[in-house]
Amino acid sequence: MKYLMKFGGTSVADARCIGLVVDILEKHHNAGDELAVVVSAQRGVTDQLIDIAEKLPTAQNCAAVPPLIAALRERHMKTLEGAAPDYVEEAGAVIEKRLASLQHILFAIYNLRELTPRSKDYVISYGERLLAPIVGAAIRQRGIPSTVLDGCEAGILTTPQHGEATALVESDARIKAKIGPLLKTEIPVVMGFMGCTEQGIVTTLGRSGSDYSASIIGAGIDADEIWIWTDVDGIMTSDPRVINDARVLKSVSYIEVMELSYFGAKVMHPRSIDPAMRKNILVRVKNTFNPSHPGTMIVR
């Protein structure tokens, strides 16, 4: 079987969670399955980046930047040390380089007193840029080869609408050419939420962008199934925080998921279903912390 597996922010929140993620991947890899992985930023990181980027153009000073960089360094290095102790030096150097780049960009936004849609997209892509190397290292820690790619390197080509870009159909062939050959021997890890224009300019995919990335990559590699891993057992009949006897749905249709989303359910953004629906790929929503639960199937 060929799978695209996407892990959300709560699934990669710390070293323990990433250990559970790699347990799942290792089990499928050892069973002979072909796997590609899409990862989100750690929970809360993208919100932190948006907040500081939007405040800097009118801030009295840029004193908030160094503490943010220090906090991101501490969080990600602690996760790396726990998830992949043999790769702290190698992956840590990548993280350090990206933190330096992020700091330069944030200082530039402050000095220019301007946050363009293009620069905002670049800043908020750093949540995935910092996390993906850790997941790749954690996979290699188990003796499984892994290559880490950003959305552009993976082949996601988009329209130029910053903050809400749409993948172009040309992405399919690019993804197949770039990721397809890797699946035979390793587990590629792709940074979710981002792609690029034909000119190589970074774009982000909007709300539920990592789910959308998963569907785009899954369609590009002609996956048998796309699995969206989260912190609940699947799509539920209603909000369990409001309705005590809410239960997990065994299956729903593509159209039903779109309707749920349009009416406010925080399930999956309607766009995130489109690429899978176009190729009739089964999408399954599962719980990283309860992987034996069958979850919810999304089908035609």
Side-chain angles (χ1 to χ4, degrees):
M1 292 281 282
K2 186 187 295 182
Y3 294 101
L4 184 288
M5 296 194 178
K6 178 262 177 177
F7 294 91
T10 53
S11 296
V12 293
D14 55 31
R16 183 188 71 84
C17 294
I18 291 174
L20 297 175
V21 166
V22 181
D23 286 343
I24 292 165
L25 298 174
E26 184 177 32
K27 178 181 176 182
H28 283 272
H29 176 77
N30 290 344
D33 294 323
E34 295 183 2
L35 303 169
V37 176
V38 168
V39 292
S40 299
Q42 287 188 303
R43 189 171 189 176
V45 170
T46 302
D47 288 339
Q48 286 180 288
L49 294 171
I50 291 171
D51 182 61
I52 195 166
E54 290 180 345
K55 287 178 178 177
L56 281 173
T58 56
Q60 291 186 343
N61 57 56
C62 54
V65 174
L68 173 69
I69 298 298
L72 291 174
R73 178 183 292 111
E74 181 180 3
R75 180 174 183 180
H76 287 85
M77 289 304 297
K78 182 179 179 180
T79 302
L80 174 60
E81 288 164 4
D86 293 348
Y87 292 88
V88 170
E89 186 174 347
E90 177 188 313
V94 174
I95 291 169
E96 198 59 50
K97 185 176 180 180
R98 289 178 180 168
L99 285 170
S101 176
L102 173 61
Q103 180 166 282
H104 290 322
I105 296 164
L106 292 174
F107 282 149
I109 291 168
Y110 169 76
N111 288 322
L112 291 170
R113 297 296 184 175
E114 180 182 45
L115 177 66
T116 65
R118 177 174 171 176
S119 58
K120 183 177 179 180
D121 263 5
Y122 197 60
V123 167
I124 63 179
S125 73
Y126 269 83
E128 283 75 10
R129 292 183 191 279
L130 294 171
L131 189 278
I134 299 173
V135 176
I139 293 170
R140 294 195 298 278
Q141 183 77 32
R142 301 285 182 94
I144 304 169
S146 179
T147 298
V148 178
L149 306 164
D150 66 30
C152 190
E153 291 168 338
I156 298 178
L157 198 64
T158 76
T159 58
Q161 283 85 11
H162 289 288
E164 197 74 25
T166 298
L168 302 175
V169 292
E170 294 92 325
S171 297
D172 278 4
R174 289 164 56 97
I175 292 165
K176 192 168 189 176
K178 294 188 176 187
I179 297 181
L182 302 177
L183 298 176
K184 300 294 182 184
T185 56
E186 59 181 287
I187 301 178
V189 175
V190 180
M191 304 171 200
F193 188 50
M194 73 180 84
C196 67
T197 66
E198 290 179 335
Q199 292 74 39
I201 297 168
V202 173
T203 54
T204 60
L205 304 172
R207 182 193 151 199
S208 295
S210 291
D211 287 347
Y212 188 25
S213 298
S215 196
I216 296 163
I217 299 289
I221 64 172
D222 292 315
D224 295 302
E225 295 187 10
I226 296 168
W227 289 13
I228 306 296
W229 291 90
T230 180
D231 59 352
V232 293
D233 286 335
I235 298 171
M236 306 191 77
T237 52
S238 54
D239 189 339
R241 294 168 298 182
V242 179
I243 307 298
N244 291 332
D245 59 352
R247 59 185 174 81
V248 176
L249 293 162
K250 182 179 179 181
S251 68
V252 294
S253 71
Y254 295 130
I255 300 302
E256 285 170 330
V257 167
M258 288 182 170
E259 287 189 357
L260 283 166
S261 183
Y262 278 126
F263 286 102
K266 295 178 180 179
V267 184
M268 293 180 72
H269 193 281
R271 290 197 312 159
S272 66
I273 293 295
D274 283 343
M277 186 166 63
R278 175 167 51 86
K279 289 206 170 180
N280 201 27
I281 300 172
L282 183 150
V283 179
R284 198 181 298 269
V285 179
K286 287 177 66 70
N287 189 347
T288 308
F289 309 102
N290 186 19
S292 61
H293 194 287
T296 301
M297 294 185 297
I298 305 172
V299 294
R300 187 171 295 283

